[in-house]
Amino acid sequence: MRILHVASEATGLVKTGGLADVVTGLTRAQHDAGDDVRVLLPAYPGCAQRADATVSHALGDPLGFGPARLLEGRIPGTSTPAWLVDAPSLYARDGGPYVGSDGHPYADNHLRFALLGRVGAILATAGPLLGWEPEVVHAHDWQAALAPATLRWWGGARPGTVTTIHNLRFQGRFDPAVVPEVGLPVEAYAVEGAEAYGSFCFLKAGLVYSDRITTVSPTYAEEIQSELGGEGLHGLLRHRKDALHGILNGIDESAWNPSDDPAIEAPFDAQRLTRRATNKRALQRELGLEPTDAPLLGVVSRLSDQKGIDLLLGALPRLLQAPLQVAVLGSGDPGLESTLRDLARAHPRRVGVFIGYDEGLSHRVFAGADMMCVPSRFEPCGLTQMYAMRYGALPVVRFTGGLADTVRDVSAGGCGFTFEDIDAGALGHAIERALHLYADRDAWTRLQLQAMRRSFGWDDAAKRYAEVYAAATAST
Ligand code: ADP
Ligand code: GLC
């Protein structure tokens, strides 16, 4: 099938979170399965070089805010073709893909991602220009959502459209004054269109105007239809429930492979599990922790309200009365960053904190920690609990969203530790259960092997997406 993915991140080019891993992993699986896949992204600084891209087409001035060009290259480390929208006035910025170096979202994000969606719609219908026309346009999150919306408003012959919700909390809501600038007719700003609570909402446009909607786990697909998890859009999602599919993310098992991981000191697998000890020592050394056999609890996370790191901070004072080491890699909320730094200062050889983003260190945490903690308030899918299991670190997770779909408690025959209440005491109890089992080395090893045997590749998800694409094209 010919598939055009539109997204704001892809691992290898630009990554702030799991979306990037999913875009690169899913498209690689589709490409390997024989699909004709292309990914469209903004040409943020450095992307053209990383993609080894060259100029392919002039795009004129698609929204009237400056000329744009299309560059063509590949997602690094894959054979997946990547198209980059080169519009220096919108994308050539210091800072991240969404937020400037001052920590604030760019004031013109509505234009930056309206352009991405617009170019997606242009490419989807530009057969004569490109010699290629997709059968399906797959938009990821609000940043890409105007691609399907624009196609619907243009009418006429068009590909099937799918919008995937990676995180309903982020909707791309803007002042309605932006409507004339984003390339949709003003009639799209309506209750039955892109209006949400007095704002113009990019994601809602995608959800209303796409043929199919997916989200990244079956449980999250249920949760977002309730008032509690629906972030104000549960009514719409319930209304579209027949078009809504929960497809569990996979992980890229070649990029996350403990037996062949250049980022870790001692590659290992189920037959060479004892080599994990070398990785634990290396991690302890890297983070300035005492080289002991005490259990080591790891965290690799954005530091935001979603991730429940405050619950861990609430549980740790009591837990640290027993022999326990903690390794945290994360960045985000300045308050959480400074509380974590304080904790590390208070327990210098037992709590190691690295504030920042470091892909290599993240691999070393999964390879060296005994358990990984993911205490999220909500979690559409979550990838780190799957990386943890693949690397033989047992997950301690709140039972929500994709965490509930991937981690089963040891008491139910699984290899993880789950808790339900959004509460430091409940998390602390789950960690204590893990510590208790850790003391039984044989039982722990059996659980590690059980975790490492699990399969989290993309094949199943890729098949499910193919079914959704077929349904989307059938309804155009
Ligand atoms: P989310 O997308 O909500 O942040 P996921 O679990 O889906 O959560 O994906 C997070 C991704 O980002 C994982 O690949 C994880 O390893 C990575 N990650 C998060 N924080 C960091 C960090 N500080 N350094 C390196 N990688 C990180
Ligand atoms: C979002 C979600 C996360 C999910 C990721 C990839 O960032 O917060 O749960 O794993 O997208 O789909």
Side-chain angles (χ1 to χ4, degrees):
M1 198 166 212
R2 294 185 306 279
I3 308 157
L4 175 65
H5 287 266
V6 184
S8 55
E9 302 185 22
T11 294
L13 292 175
V14 54
K15 169 171 170 178
T16 72
L19 165 68
D21 288 0
V22 168
V23 169
T24 295
L26 170 62
T27 56
R28 186 208 293 251
Q30 292 175 330
H31 182 86
D32 290 350
D35 289 321
D36 183 357
V37 195
R38 323 256 165 131
V39 187
L40 177 71
L41 301 124
Y44 308 111
C47 283
Q49 291 86 324
R50 285 193 282 279
D52 198 14
T54 50
V55 178
S56 118
H57 291 89
L59 292 168
D61 185 351
L63 278 177
F65 290 94
R69 297 183 307 175
L70 193 66
L71 314 180
E72 193 168 351
R74 297 210 178 265
I75 297 181
T78 76
S79 327
T80 315
W83 272 325
L84 305 174
V85 186
D86 183 35
S89 64
L90 293 178
Y91 301 135
R93 307 260 170 102
D94 292 341
Y98 318 118
V99 174
S101 30
D102 60 359
H104 295 294
Y106 300 113
D108 56 356
N109 269 344
H110 61 288
L111 295 180
R112 300 175 71 240
F113 295 109
L115 181 68
L116 178 67
R118 181 77 169 195
V119 174
I122 291 171
L123 299 187
T125 47
L129 173 72
L130 299 170
W132 187 83
E133 213 160 78
E135 291 156 275
V136 174
V137 173
H138 186 163
H140 297 267
D141 273 351
W142 74 263
Q143 290 88 351
L146 292 201
T150 302
L151 286 167
R152 177 67 72 88
W153 276 96
W154 280 350
R158 63 168 180 85
T161 54
V162 177
T163 293
T164 293
I165 304 168
H166 292 267
N167 192 332
L168 192 58
R169 169 103 9 130
F170 303 114
Q171 298 184 1
R173 291 195 195 183
F174 296 94
D175 189 291
V178 307
V179 174
E181 300 176 348
V182 298
L184 287 183
V186 284
E187 303 87 81
Y189 182 68
V191 179
E192 63 281 4
E195 189 274 345
Y197 305 91
S199 299
F200 176 80
C201 179
F202 273 55
L203 183 65
K204 189 173 175 227
L207 301 181
V208 168
Y209 297 121
S210 291
D211 299 312
R212 295 277 153 168
I213 301 167
T214 73
T215 189
V216 290
S217 71
T219 296
Y220 194 59
E222 292 299 319
E223 289 171 352
I224 58 178
Q225 296 178 55
S226 74
E227 194 168 347
L228 200 62
E231 305 282 354
L233 296 182
H234 48 283
L236 167 62
L237 290 163
R238 223 179 285 156
H239 175 69
R240 295 218 63 195
K241 69 176 189 311
D242 293 339
L244 168 65
H245 312 264
I247 302 179
L248 192 67
N249 283 336
I251 63 172
D252 192 328
E253 291 185 327
S254 56
W256 293 92
N257 178 2
S259 69
D260 179 26
D261 185 336
I264 67 177
E265 182 151 323
F268 63 99
D269 51 29
Q271 284 73 44
R272 295 174 297 165
L273 194 54
T274 50
R275 301 189 72 185
R276 262 192 126 260
T278 309
N279 295 313
K280 181 167 172 177
R281 283 289 179 272
L283 179 63
Q284 288 167 326
R285 219 178 313 120
E286 186 168 358
L287 293 179
L289 301 175
E290 200 176 326
T292 70
D293 293 331
L296 174 49
L297 178 75
V299 173
V300 175
S301 183
R302 287 189 289 118
L303 301 176
S304 73
D305 175 66
Q306 172 189 346
K307 299 293 177 177
I309 302 303
D310 54 314
L311 304 180
L312 180 63
L313 286 165
L316 279 178
R318 195 182 126 88
L319 293 168
L320 284 167
Q321 289 169 14
L324 168 70
Q325 292 187 332
V326 182
V328 181
L329 165 61
S331 63
D333 180 275
L336 287 171
E337 290 183 351
S338 79
T339 312
L340 283 164
R341 282 202 185 97
D342 290 346
L343 190 74
R345 263 193 294 275
H347 303 273
R349 303 282 282 157
R350 299 183 56 204
V351 177
V353 171
F354 184 96
I355 299 296
Y357 189 89
D358 187 327
E359 190 79 24
L361 178 54
S362 76
H363 286 240
R364 292 191 286 283
V365 176
F366 292 112
D370 297 298
M371 340 160 174
M372 291 296 300
C373 186
V374 194
S376 308
R377 288 192 162 71
F378 71 95
E379 196 61 75
C381 179
L383 303 175
T384 59
Q385 77 282 9
M386 294 191 265
Y387 298 150
M389 287 185 267
R390 184 143 165 86
Y391 278 66
L394 302 188
V396 182
V397 307
R398 196 169 99 72
F399 199 71
T400 183
L403 297 171
D405 291 332
T406 50
V407 179
R408 200 144 32 105
D409 195 88
V410 288
S411 64
C415 55
F417 304 88
T418 65
F419 66 100
E420 303 246 357
D421 295 344
I422 302 180
D423 172 78
L427 167 61
H429 182 61
I431 295 174
E432 272 161 359
R433 286 196 294 124
L435 298 181
H436 183 71
L437 246 168
Y438 181 81
D440 181 344
R441 300 307 303 157
D442 290 343
W444 190 264
T445 304
R446 275 197 300 278
L447 290 173
Q448 285 181 298
L449 294 174
Q450 181 180 335
M452 291 174 71
R453 268 198 307 272
R454 295 197 50 190
S455 152
F456 295 111
W458 271 106
D459 291 356
D460 286 350
K463 285 192 196 109
R464 295 285 320 279
Y465 278 112
E467 289 162 17
V468 171
Y469 296 160
T473 47
S475 55
T476 62

